[in-house]
Amino acid sequence: MIKTEPHRRPGLIGMTKGTKVVLFFLALAGLSWGVYKCKYAYSYYTDLKDRPWAYSEDEHAKLLVGTWQGTYQDPDNVAKTIRLEILVPMTDDERAAKAGKRSRRRSGLGQRKDNQHFDGLATVTSKLGKEEYEIYGRVGKDDWHQLKTVHFRVVDEIQQLHKNFGVGQAETGHWQDDQLTLTVGFVYTTATGSHSSDSADPRYDKKVTIHFSRKKS
């Protein structure tokens, strides 16, 4: 009697061990890529909903982020030009890097998320020289166009201008389309680099409303 070999169905059974390993890693890579894309998309669309002042699917949308420029006179009547750069909370590269990381459980309260917070840079120029600041503040949630207290922090205190009224902080502000306003106070830096104040001198309490226009890129 002639013996016949049982018919083997094609598939994994007939594959070599090396081929199975390759397919396993290909499947794992595909799964990892899918998870990465999902995390990236979730982060992006969450920001679209929660930070409408910073993100939009319309590439021509007018947002708070960007570059603004205005002019004003400080309490010593020195004419100055100020340029603001409001930074996007998370760049595409940062979002991609975040999506590629493994999530870990965090103890305690975990990571807090402030959808109203923004930060950026400010540069003031005048005949006295250049003033450079880091800025940070919050956007009101009512319509996302009111600006809460905006703080100006000198980048390098050693290099800051002396005998000068520098920008302190803005108590109120508003932005809409291509216009932005901030009402700012000032901090005086003496010849020795210290800060001083004089309640009898109205210059120290002076507030100035600065009108900014959007700088086209």
Side-chain angles (χ1 to χ4, degrees):
M1 181 180 294
I2 300 175
K3 292 183 178 181
T4 58
E5 292 290 332
H7 177 70
R8 295 187 178 183
R9 295 180 180 178
L12 291 177
I13 297 177
M15 293 182 182
T16 65
K17 183 178 180 180
T19 303
K20 292 178 182 178
V21 170
V22 171
L23 288 177
F24 170 77
F25 281 109
L26 286 175
L28 188 61
L31 179 62
S32 297
W33 177 251
V35 170
Y36 163 82
K37 294 294 287 184
C38 288
K39 289 171 67 175
Y40 184 98
Y42 176 79
S43 172
Y44 175 69
Y45 285 106
T46 297
D47 274 342
L48 283 178
K49 176 176 68 71
D50 294 341
R51 291 186 171 101
W53 54 271
Y55 300 96
S56 174
E57 290 187 284
D58 179 2
E59 63 180 30
H60 300 296
K62 295 178 178 180
L63 306 172
L64 174 62
V65 297
T67 304
W68 305 81
Q69 185 167 301
T71 58
Y72 67 96
Q73 288 188 326
D74 76 3
D76 276 336
N77 291 321
V78 176
K80 297 184 175 182
T81 297
I82 181 170
R83 186 182 182 97
L84 302 180
E85 183 183 1
I86 308 298
L87 303 175
V88 65
M90 183 181 293
T91 65
D92 290 340
D93 289 343
E94 290 169 337
R95 194 184 306 280
K98 181 181 177 182
K101 293 180 179 179
R102 292 183 179 180
S103 60
R104 296 180 179 177
R105 292 180 177 270
R106 303 185 63 170
S107 59
L109 295 176
Q111 185 177 6
R112 294 184 176 180
K113 189 175 183 181
D114 186 351
N115 297 322
Q116 297 171 257
H117 176 85
F118 68 87
D119 53 23
L121 303 168
T123 302
V124 177
T125 54
S126 68
K127 66 181 183 180
L128 302 178
K130 181 185 293 186
E131 307 165 43
E132 294 185 324
Y133 303 88
E134 295 175 342
I135 63 173
Y136 60 96
R138 303 181 80 239
V139 184
K141 292 183 68 174
D142 292 341
D143 63 359
W144 302 106
H145 289 280
Q146 302 298 324
L147 303 179
K148 304 296 185 181
T149 303
V150 180
H151 300 271
F152 287 71
R153 181 172 57 201
V154 175
V155 172
D156 187 345
E157 293 188 357
I158 296 178
Q159 298 296 325
Q160 68 179 324
L161 296 181
H162 293 177
K163 300 177 69 174
N164 173 61
F165 278 98
V167 182
Q169 68 180 32
E171 298 294 342
T172 60
H174 181 270
W175 72 278
Q176 184 75 48
D177 296 331
D178 292 328
Q179 303 299 315
L180 183 152
T181 60
L182 288 177
T183 300
V184 304
F186 298 90
V187 176
Y188 186 74
T189 303
T190 67
T192 61
S194 61
H195 295 160
S196 70
S197 180
D198 184 353
S199 59
D201 189 335
R203 294 179 304 163
Y204 291 87
D205 294 324
K206 185 174 182 179
K207 307 288 184 183
V208 171
T209 298
I210 306 175
H211 298 272
F212 296 84
S213 296
R214 187 187 302 278
K215 293 290 291 181
K216 306 298 183 181
S217 57

